[in-house]
Amino acid sequence: MMKAQETDVVRVRAAGTTSASDWVAIERPLEIRVRAGETERVLSTTMRTPGDDRALAAGFLYAERVIRHPRQLCAVESVGDDAVMVQLDAAAAADIEAAQRPFVTSGACGVCGRKDLRALFDLSGAPGDGSPRDPRWPRLAPAVIHALPSGLRAAQATFARTGGLHAAGLFTVDGVARAVHEDVGRHNAVDKLVGTFILDGRLPDADCVLVVSGRASFELVQKAAVAAIPIMVAVGAPSSLAVEVARDAGMTLLGFVRDGGFNIYCGAARIVGVA
């Protein structure tokens, strides 16, 4: 599915004005429909970049706590170009009402319009205390951290053409890219990333790092925490609530990872040579 399209522009530069063509990222609505038992409805309509729509729906439902395990997805099917129908097990019916969005969610909003936010703070599967003695969780070397933004950028094919997409990538602690997704909505990119693993019947491995191309907002950290991703790296700044959620979830949160430096907002124990 096309993620960018060509358009005519007038370029104004110091040397003068010229007519030219340029590429812009495609933004279209995606209707996420769900069915659980006797309950069937449109759960949300979100603006997104077309492609990986089934993964987007799966990741969205997991982050919204409509499903708690990949096995609750009975079927995920595309309906035309701009809709996905998700068949859930009957146990998910009670959570559909709380997650329902009464209006279109823009590419800039991850939780806008949700009726009940309480389930979003259920971090029962979160990474833990970040202790370096805890063998379940990885440690990350500064040299790898410095290379992560360029590794993410190298996989952003549509961004290279348009300059108009956010990206989220899952990397190993050795800096190897596991999966990278782009979207006009930063939260959609994370949902597509997590949803890719959910459709495969599992969640991201514990020894992984989430890298995002912009800032670390609350909804991105919440999605990472729910998926039990222990380390999150952002090129930009975190928000106050993002730091609070990451700390409560036992995550390691890094911001301003660029120009040879980075800030550790919580979870320093997972960074080699720091603690």
Side-chain angles (χ1 to χ4, degrees):
M1 190 174 292
M2 292 291 294
K3 297 182 179 181
Q5 67 183 32
E6 210 166 5
T7 188
D8 295 330
V9 300
V10 177
R11 286 185 176 147
V12 180
R13 303 291 187 268
T17 302
T18 58
S19 297
S21 62
D22 199 4
W23 288 90
V24 293
I26 294 175
E27 183 176 26
R28 293 176 59 91
L30 176 70
E31 191 176 81
I32 300 176
R33 307 173 187 172
V34 293
R35 183 187 299 122
E38 299 299 319
T39 302
E40 180 177 335
R41 66 185 55 188
V42 175
L43 187 66
S44 178
T45 301
T46 184
M47 303 303 296
R48 96 302 188 195
T49 300
D52 305 302
D53 291 336
R54 294 173 62 253
L56 170 56
F60 173 81
L61 293 174
Y62 191 81
E64 293 283 319
R65 312 309 275 149
V66 174
I67 61 172
R68 307 298 176 111
H69 193 279
R71 64 173 172 266
Q72 291 183 274
L73 288 178
C74 301
V76 185
E77 301 294 338
S78 294
V79 181
D81 292 334
D82 295 312
V84 173
M85 172 59 79
V86 184
Q87 177 70 50
L88 304 174
D89 69 359
D95 292 314
I96 291 176
E97 181 64 26
Q100 186 180 9
R101 306 297 178 89
F103 54 81
V104 173
T105 300
S106 75
C109 181
V111 297
C112 299
R114 199 181 198 278
K115 293 183 177 181
D116 186 350
L117 293 176
R118 288 173 295 179
L120 298 183
F121 292 91
D122 175 10
L123 303 177
S124 53
D129 64 6
S131 169
R133 295 181 297 278
D134 189 337
R136 297 176 300 165
W137 310 121
R139 301 192 74 200
L140 191 61
V144 174
I145 295 170
H146 296 316
L148 288 173
S150 60
L152 183 67
R153 183 69 175 269
Q156 292 181 251
T158 308
F159 177 85
R161 174 177 281 186
T162 67
L165 293 180
H166 297 283
L170 202 69
F171 290 75
T172 68
V173 291
D174 296 322
V176 178
R178 298 279 309 281
V180 174
H181 288 276
E182 295 179 286
D183 200 277
V184 289
R186 55 173 60 89
H187 54 283
N188 289 339
V190 177
D191 281 340
K192 288 179 176 181
L193 186 67
V194 174
T196 297
F197 288 84
I198 292 175
L199 291 180
D200 196 35
R202 60 194 177 95
L203 290 173
D205 296 332
D207 58 339
C208 63
V209 183
L210 173 63
V211 184
V212 296
S213 58
R215 62 187 180 88
S217 56
F218 154 73
E219 63 265 31
L220 301 193
V221 174
Q222 181 268 340
K223 291 175 187 294
V226 168
I229 297 173
I231 303 173
M232 181 171 172
V233 168
V235 174
S239 68
S240 62
L241 188 55
V243 174
E244 181 181 333
V245 170
R247 185 179 294 121
D248 289 346
M251 293 173 60
T252 296
L253 178 62
L254 309 183
F256 293 109
V257 183
R258 61 193 189 210
D259 303 324
F262 55 87
N263 293 345
I264 306 173
Y265 292 89
C266 56
R270 290 194 182 95
I271 307 305
V272 175
V274 175

